[in-house]
């Protein structure tokens, strides 16, 4: 049996990994979902085809993240979910809508397909916004004040833009022609708004939380971690420059915006984790206080060690199978 | 006034009832698909590919509905039942964790290849992906049924300060009722999928679908149904004996036995009267319940009165059990008659096709009724003898729960309607516009 302190760290690390992978992977397919046009069936079909083989597995990372919280930090899991009861339900409604609309739209009568497209688009938007809203309430410690909710709304818009950014970067990579050009201009817009969002959060957070300020600006750690926000903000500049040059012929570099966006996600996530570690419920509960029974976690760890590498391997295999520009989807 | 406990129970019941409909289909449908695909690979005959292509669409739709309602459930543990994981999370957590890690990801990842990858990977890899999805759905059932069985007949743990700690994982996973429940559920899924395939195929044939794929699928489904319905009755009986041993109060409610008695009758119909602790309008076969459950006409069955305050509400368990058994018998009858006719005459008369259409969702009804028996039969506990329902519920304001309950019910009603409509719409569409005509294969098909 492992020492509880190591188990807290291992499971917190796994949970962080699951959340980050989720944000990047489901982030792009939610982003694509938000952007589908309602008046152009062909474009909508292409966009949806680009995420078709992946969305289901992407969403599973959310289940893993929530599941790991449930298993490793049960008290935190129930505190967070009860505090976020209503936004969680909106998140679930959003996930339900888009998950089913994806399949119904392909099979319904033609006149009903447009209706399912609306459901898909709205569901994607609702899911993204709810996640951002929840993130906002989480970082502000679940305060129930108008200011806290205003911050949560701001955070909701931020996440919508972040998903829009990575979603349009995905489309640049997977599509050609007019849609690719549209995606480039969407990507520029989302990147600019997301840039402002990241900048504001980076300023607001240390200002309102003294301990976050100390963590980031106390020497000598400041020297080690300060490059993160600087690199993050410069990545936005690089992204802008790359987008100016796209599309190229032949289609070289179309994957760059996605890679840069993913890096931006990683750095922002690092910033968040660094600000709040070792808290799992900000200001209330640390991972060491919340950790569950060591023997149960040790039992699950055997599975984790064997399964997670396998899981990553077949996920990569699946991405390789559907590598390259998107092709029309048909059920075979 | 509706309180948080009652509303949370209704919400969870609604959610789990909606959710279970879809895994019940997909667990076995995945194996049907693997069979169709394997047959196609081995014979090269397009009729199997057509059966595959039609049913894979239904699979995808059912799977999507199962996924979204399953995610909802995983959140509801935290939002509505925080006491559940605070008290038994050390056992429930790892079992659910293993489900996500071993089954959920595997299904979801290979589903992409199974649905959209046929032209992108070699045929063998595609068939392998189909099998992996089937293995994934079954593994998923394994872990979930293990947890559910543990909640019914908990073993391999110790209690410290009201919190459960695992002592022996083998005993936790393979607890005393696990084997019965797991096979009972797998068979339930096989029968649900069989009757769904038979019903929809019969619908296509009634709509004058001249193609061979529906008939092929119908034959396979009816063969499976005719083979498995009697086995299900047998496994169900063993499961009942196991329940008598570990949860006698549930059996007492299922049989409507109030006073402990020897030679208890098998009640065909009755209305349990909880106030006066007796049955109204009882019609029964003398000594039969004792005989079935103890294999002795004068065997003793404990009555509900021995479990004061610890026994489940009688009516839903009593009627649920009768609906499940009644539906099961009807399924045996229909499977035998139609399979026999098919064997004798090579085709089904219209009235038998219509009967199959009417039985399309018979598996759903039997499964739901069975789940109500088993889940309500565990009341007032969430984990038998360990955790009572009222000790697990959230403290969230009841208005919030009411609000979300209304939301869920509305969404589920719309989705169920859309699902059934789409199912039959997909069937009629394939009658009109199947991708290629099979006339040139007609002769060959009759020989397959």
């Amino acid at each position: 049996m492992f020492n509880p302190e190591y188990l807290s760290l291992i499971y917190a690390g796994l949970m962080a990994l699951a959340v980050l992978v989720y944000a990047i992977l489901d982030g792009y397919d939610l982003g694509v979902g938000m952007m589908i046009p309602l008046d152009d069936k062909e474009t909508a079909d292409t966009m949806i085809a680009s995420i078709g083989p992946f969305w289901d597995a992407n969403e599973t990372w959310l289940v893993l993240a929530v599941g790991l919280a449930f298993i490793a930090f049960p008290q935190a899991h129930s505190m967070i979910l009860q505090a976020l009861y209503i936004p969680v339900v909106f998140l679930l409604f959003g996930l339900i809508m888009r998950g089913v609309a994806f399949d119904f739209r392909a099979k319904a009568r033609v006149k009903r397909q447009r209706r399912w497209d609306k459901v898909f688009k709205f569901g994607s938007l609702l899911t993204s916004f709810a996640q951002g809203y929840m993130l906002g309430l989480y970082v502000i410690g679940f305060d129930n004040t108008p200011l806290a909710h205003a911050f949560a709304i701001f955070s909701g818009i931020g996440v919508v833009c972040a998903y829009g950014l990575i979603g349009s970067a995905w489309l640049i990579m997977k599509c050609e022609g007019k849609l690719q050009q549209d995606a480039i201009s969407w990507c520029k817009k989302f990147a600019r708004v997301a840039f402002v969002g990241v900048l504001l959060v980076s300023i607001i957070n240390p200002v309102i939380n003294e301990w976050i300020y100390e963590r980031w600006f106390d020497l000598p750690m400041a020297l080690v971690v300060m490059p993160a926000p600087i690199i993050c903000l410069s990545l936005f500049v690089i992204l802008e420059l790359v987008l100016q040059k796209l599309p190229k012929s032949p289609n070289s570099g179309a994957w760059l915006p996605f890679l840069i966006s993913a890096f931006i996600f990683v750095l922002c996530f690092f910033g968040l984790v660094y600000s709040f570690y070792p808290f799992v419920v900000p200001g209330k509960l640390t991972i060491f206080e919340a950790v569950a029974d060591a023997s149960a976690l040790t039992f699950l760890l055997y599975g984790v060690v064997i399964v997670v590498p396998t899981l990553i391997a077949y996920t990569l295999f699946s991405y390789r199978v559907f590598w390259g520009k998107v092709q029309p989807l048909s059920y075979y | 006034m509706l309180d948080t406990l009652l509303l949370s129970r209704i919400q969870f019941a609604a959610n789990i009832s909606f959710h279970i409909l879809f895994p019940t289909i997909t667990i076995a449908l995945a194996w049907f698909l693997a069979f169709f695909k394997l047959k196609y690979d081995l014979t090269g005959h397009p009729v199997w590919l057509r059966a595959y292509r039609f049913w894979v669409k239904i699979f995808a739709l059912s799977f999507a509905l199962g996924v979204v309602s399953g995610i909802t459930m995983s959140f509801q543990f935290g939002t509505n039942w925080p006491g559940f994981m605070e008290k038994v999370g050390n056992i429930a957590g790892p079992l659910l964790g293993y489900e996500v890690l071993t089954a959920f990801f595997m299904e979801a990842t290979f589903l992409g290849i199974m649905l959209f990858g046929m032209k992108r990977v070699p045929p063998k890899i595609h068939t392998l992906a189909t099998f992996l999805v089937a293995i994934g759905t079954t593994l998923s059932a394994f872990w979930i049924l293990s947890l559910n069985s543990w909640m019914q007949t908990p073993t391999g743990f110790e209690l410290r300060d009201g919190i459960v700690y695992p002592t022996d994982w083998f005993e936790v996973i393979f607890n005393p009722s696990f084997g019965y429940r797991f096979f009972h559920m797998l068979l339930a899924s096989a029968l649900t999928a069989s009757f769904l395939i038979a019903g929809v195929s019969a619908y296509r044939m009634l709509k004058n679908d001249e193609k061979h794929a529906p008939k092929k699928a119908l034959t396979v489904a009816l063969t499976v149904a005719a083979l498995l319905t009697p086995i299900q009755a047998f496994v169900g009986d063993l499961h009942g004996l196991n329940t008598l041993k570990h949860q006698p109060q549930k059996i007492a409610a299922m049989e409507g036995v109030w006073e402990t008695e020897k030679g208890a009758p098998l009640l065909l119909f009755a209305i349990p009267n909880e106030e006066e602790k007796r049955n109204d309008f009882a019609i029964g076969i003398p000594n039969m319940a004792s005989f079935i459950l103890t294999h002795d006409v004068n065997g003793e069955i404990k009555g509900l009165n021995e479990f004061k305050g610890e026994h489940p509400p009688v009516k839903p368990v009593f009627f649920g059990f009768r609906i499940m058994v009644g539906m099961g018998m009807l399924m045996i009858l229909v499977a035998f008659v139609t399979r026999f006719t098919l064997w004798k005459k090579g085709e089904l008369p219209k009235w038998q096709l219509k009967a199959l259409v009417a039985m399309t969702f018979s598996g759903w009804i039997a499964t739901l009724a069975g789940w109500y028996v088993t889940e309500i039969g565990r009341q007032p506990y969430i984990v038998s003898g360990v955790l009572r329902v009222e000790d697990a519920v959230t403290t969230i304001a009841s208005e919030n729960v009411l609000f979300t309950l209304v939301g869920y019910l509305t969404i589920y009603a719309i989705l169920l309607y859309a699902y059934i409509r789409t199912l039959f719409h997909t069937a009629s569409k394939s009658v009109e516009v199947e991708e290629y005509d099979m006339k040139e294969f007609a002769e060959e098909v009759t020989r397959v």
Side-chain angles (χ1 to χ4, degrees), chain A residues 107-271:
Chain A
K107 298 174 183 78
R109 285 171 213 283
V110 177
K111 62 178 172 151
R112 287 217 181 78
Q113 285 176 359
R114 296 307 82 176
R115 204 183 296 166
W116 286 115
D117 277 358
K118 276 182 205 158
V119 174
F120 188 70
K121 192 178 170 101
F122 178 72
S124 303
L125 193 62
L126 182 62
T127 305
S128 311
F129 182 79
Q131 285 178 5
Y133 191 87
M134 288 160 65
L135 179 68
L137 280 186
Y138 174 87
V139 298
I140 213 148
F142 307 117
D143 282 354
N144 204 3
T145 58
L147 196 66
H149 288 283
F151 180 76
I153 290 170
F154 168 71
S155 160
I157 296 166
V159 167
V160 167
C161 290
Y163 287 173
L165 164 69
I166 198 159
S168 44
W170 173 260
L171 290 175
I172 296 172
M173 180 165 71
K174 297 295 277 186
C175 301
E176 294 164 304
K178 177 163 182 313
L179 178 55
Q180 193 187 37
Q181 267 172 350
D182 288 344
I184 291 168
S185 70
W186 297 333
C187 196
K188 279 182 200 158
K189 284 175 196 145
F190 281 122
R192 286 169 196 163
V193 184
F195 176 78
V196 175
V198 172
L199 193 65
L200 282 178
V201 169
S202 311
I203 296 167
I204 292 173
N205 247 333
V207 169
I208 58 171
N209 290 311
E210 203 177 317
W211 45 283
I212 293 182
Y213 179 87
E214 283 168 15
R215 177 155 292 182
W216 283 94
F217 293 99
D218 272 9
L219 291 167
M221 273 310 277
L223 292 175
V224 182
V225 294
M226 265 330 258
I230 294 167
I231 296 172
C232 183
L233 293 173
S234 7
L235 279 175
F236 277 104
V237 179
I238 297 170
L239 179 63
E240 178 75 33
L241 295 175
V242 168
L243 288 173
Q244 299 290 0
K245 295 230 170 78
L246 288 175
K248 278 194 219 162
S249 175
N251 233 307
S252 61
W255 48 274
L256 265 174
F258 188 79
L259 191 71
I260 297 170
S261 309
F263 262 116
I264 291 173
F265 272 55
V266 172
L267 289 167
C268 290
F269 187 72
F270 166 77

